[in-house]
Amino acid sequence: MTFTRPEPPYYAVIISSALTDDLDGYDAMSERMAELGARQPGYLGRESQTGPDGRELLVIYYTDAESIAAWKQDAEHLEAQRLGKERWYADYRIEVARVERVYGFERA
């Protein structure tokens, strides 16, 4: 999903992950977190991609660091984090970045 980015600064939460073979309930929880996360104050949008090796890269955009901290403490999100560590993720890495400048190119 793409979205219109605001003028910087804004924040990006970058999540890189690999899944285990035990994915029972993962898709439903992932959809629920996307739905619930999109309703959080400060949420701007998200983009995701899965590589040929199955690694997932998810970038979620927020207006400010406080919005990220609040989402991290959401009760349903805490439960999803617990289950992710116990069952679904072989590994993951989360990076939080403040976007200061944006530029690019798009062929017409």
Side-chain angles (χ1 to χ4, degrees), residues 15-16 19 22 31 43 46 73 79 85 104:
I15 306 167
S16 171
L19 298 171
D22 179 9
E31 287 178 26
Y43 174 88
R46 63 191 281 145
Q73 295 306 310
E79 177 63 7
K85 288 178 185 176

PDB file of all heavy atoms in Angstrom, residues 15-16 19 22 31 43 46 73 79 85 104:
ATOM      1  N   ILE A  15      10.708  -2.864   9.969  1.00  0.00           N
ATOM      2  CA  ILE A  15      10.705  -4.194  10.567  1.00  0.00           C
ATOM      3  C   ILE A  15      11.134  -5.212   9.513  1.00  0.00           C
ATOM      4  O   ILE A  15      10.489  -5.366   8.480  1.00  0.00           O
ATOM      5  CB  ILE A  15       9.305  -4.565  11.101  1.00  0.00           C
ATOM      6  CG1 ILE A  15       8.802  -3.478  12.061  1.00  0.00           C
ATOM      7  CG2 ILE A  15       9.336  -5.942  11.766  1.00  0.00           C
ATOM      8  CD1 ILE A  15       7.331  -3.580  12.392  1.00  0.00           C
ATOM      9  N   SER A  16      12.226  -5.891   9.798  1.00  0.00           N
ATOM     10  CA  SER A  16      12.726  -6.964   8.945  1.00  0.00           C
ATOM     11  C   SER A  16      12.550  -8.258   9.720  1.00  0.00           C
ATOM     12  O   SER A  16      12.940  -8.338  10.891  1.00  0.00           O
ATOM     13  CB  SER A  16      14.206  -6.719   8.631  1.00  0.00           C
ATOM     14  OG  SER A  16      14.757  -7.835   7.978  1.00  0.00           O
ATOM     15  N   LEU A  19      10.036 -15.784   9.271  1.00  0.00           N
ATOM     16  CA  LEU A  19       9.029 -16.562   9.990  1.00  0.00           C
ATOM     17  C   LEU A  19       9.497 -17.993  10.252  1.00  0.00           C
ATOM     18  O   LEU A  19      10.350 -18.516   9.534  1.00  0.00           O
ATOM     19  CB  LEU A  19       7.736 -16.591   9.184  1.00  0.00           C
ATOM     20  CG  LEU A  19       7.075 -15.233   8.948  1.00  0.00           C
ATOM     21  CD1 LEU A  19       5.930 -15.360   7.966  1.00  0.00           C
ATOM     22  CD2 LEU A  19       6.611 -14.626  10.254  1.00  0.00           C
ATOM     23  N   ASP A  22       5.785 -22.604  12.139  1.00  0.00           N
ATOM     24  CA  ASP A  22       4.548 -22.633  12.929  1.00  0.00           C
ATOM     25  C   ASP A  22       3.788 -21.330  12.718  1.00  0.00           C
ATOM     26  O   ASP A  22       3.952 -20.376  13.457  1.00  0.00           O
ATOM     27  CB  ASP A  22       4.872 -22.823  14.412  1.00  0.00           C
ATOM     28  CG  ASP A  22       3.629 -22.833  15.289  1.00  0.00           C
ATOM     29  OD1 ASP A  22       2.499 -22.870  14.742  1.00  0.00           O
ATOM     30  OD2 ASP A  22       3.781 -22.809  16.522  1.00  0.00           O
ATOM     31  N   GLU A  31      -3.271  -9.454   9.971  1.00  0.00           N
ATOM     32  CA  GLU A  31      -4.345  -8.616   9.437  1.00  0.00           C
ATOM     33  C   GLU A  31      -4.958  -7.752  10.536  1.00  0.00           C
ATOM     34  O   GLU A  31      -5.240  -6.568  10.317  1.00  0.00           O
ATOM     35  CB  GLU A  31      -5.424  -9.478   8.784  1.00  0.00           C
ATOM     36  CG  GLU A  31      -5.006 -10.062   7.464  1.00  0.00           C
ATOM     37  CD  GLU A  31      -6.083 -10.953   6.847  1.00  0.00           C
ATOM     38  OE1 GLU A  31      -7.282 -10.738   7.148  1.00  0.00           O
ATOM     39  OE2 GLU A  31      -5.717 -11.847   6.069  1.00  0.00           O
ATOM     40  N   TYR A  43      -0.675   7.541  12.962  1.00  0.00           N
ATOM     41  CA  TYR A  43      -0.390   6.594  11.882  1.00  0.00           C
ATOM     42  C   TYR A  43      -0.539   7.293  10.538  1.00  0.00           C
ATOM     43  O   TYR A  43      -1.519   7.991  10.290  1.00  0.00           O
ATOM     44  CB  TYR A  43      -1.360   5.420  11.976  1.00  0.00           C
ATOM     45  CG  TYR A  43      -1.271   4.429  10.833  1.00  0.00           C
ATOM     46  CD1 TYR A  43      -0.385   3.362  10.895  1.00  0.00           C
ATOM     47  CD2 TYR A  43      -2.083   4.550   9.715  1.00  0.00           C
ATOM     48  CE1 TYR A  43      -0.317   2.433   9.869  1.00  0.00           C
ATOM     49  CE2 TYR A  43      -2.019   3.635   8.683  1.00  0.00           C
ATOM     50  CZ  TYR A  43      -1.136   2.579   8.763  1.00  0.00           C
ATOM     51  OH  TYR A  43      -1.076   1.665   7.736  1.00  0.00           O
ATOM     52  N   ARG A  46       1.649   2.469   5.506  1.00  0.00           N
ATOM     53  CA  ARG A  46       2.614   1.379   5.558  1.00  0.00           C
ATOM     54  C   ARG A  46       2.915   0.859   4.169  1.00  0.00           C
ATOM     55  O   ARG A  46       2.099   0.999   3.254  1.00  0.00           O
ATOM     56  CB  ARG A  46       2.102   0.251   6.460  1.00  0.00           C
ATOM     57  CG  ARG A  46       0.843  -0.377   5.947  1.00  0.00           C
ATOM     58  CD  ARG A  46       0.176  -1.305   6.938  1.00  0.00           C
ATOM     59  NE  ARG A  46       0.820  -2.589   6.989  1.00  0.00           N
ATOM     60  CZ  ARG A  46       0.955  -3.318   8.090  1.00  0.00           C
ATOM     61  NH1 ARG A  46       0.465  -2.893   9.219  1.00  0.00           N
ATOM     62  NH2 ARG A  46       1.549  -4.478   8.058  1.00  0.00           N
ATOM     63  N   GLN A  73       2.647  -0.072  23.180  1.00  0.00           N
ATOM     64  CA  GLN A  73       2.059  -0.467  24.457  1.00  0.00           C
ATOM     65  C   GLN A  73       0.580  -0.869  24.368  1.00  0.00           C
ATOM     66  O   GLN A  73      -0.029  -1.205  25.387  1.00  0.00           O
ATOM     67  CB  GLN A  73       2.222   0.673  25.476  1.00  0.00           C
ATOM     68  CG  GLN A  73       3.667   0.964  25.814  1.00  0.00           C
ATOM     69  CD  GLN A  73       4.405  -0.286  26.279  1.00  0.00           C
ATOM     70  OE1 GLN A  73       3.934  -1.000  27.162  1.00  0.00           O
ATOM     71  NE2 GLN A  73       5.550  -0.566  25.685  1.00  0.00           N
ATOM     72  N   GLU A  79       0.078  -8.535  23.026  1.00  0.00           N
ATOM     73  CA  GLU A  79      -0.205  -9.960  22.892  1.00  0.00           C
ATOM     74  C   GLU A  79       0.346 -10.498  21.571  1.00  0.00           C
ATOM     75  O   GLU A  79       0.917 -11.590  21.524  1.00  0.00           O
ATOM     76  CB  GLU A  79      -1.712 -10.226  22.985  1.00  0.00           C
ATOM     77  CG  GLU A  79      -2.121 -11.662  22.783  1.00  0.00           C
ATOM     78  CD  GLU A  79      -1.583 -12.637  23.844  1.00  0.00           C
ATOM     79  OE1 GLU A  79      -0.976 -12.208  24.848  1.00  0.00           O
ATOM     80  OE2 GLU A  79      -1.762 -13.850  23.650  1.00  0.00           O
ATOM     81  N   LYS A  85       7.110 -13.700  19.302  1.00  0.00           N
ATOM     82  CA  LYS A  85       8.369 -14.192  19.876  1.00  0.00           C
ATOM     83  C   LYS A  85       8.286 -15.681  20.204  1.00  0.00           C
ATOM     84  O   LYS A  85       9.252 -16.418  20.021  1.00  0.00           O
ATOM     85  CB  LYS A  85       8.715 -13.412  21.141  1.00  0.00           C
ATOM     86  CG  LYS A  85       9.175 -12.010  20.865  1.00  0.00           C
ATOM     87  CD  LYS A  85       9.444 -11.289  22.175  1.00  0.00           C
ATOM     88  CE  LYS A  85       9.801  -9.840  21.936  1.00  0.00           C
ATOM     89  NZ  LYS A  85       9.974  -9.109  23.193  1.00  0.00           N
ATOM     90  N   GLY A 104      13.181  11.926  -4.788  1.00  0.00           N
ATOM     91  CA  GLY A 104      13.061  10.748  -5.640  1.00  0.00           C
ATOM     92  C   GLY A 104      12.832  11.125  -7.085  1.00  0.00           C
ATOM     93  O   GLY A 104      12.983  12.283  -7.480  1.00  0.00           O
TER      94      GLY A 104
END
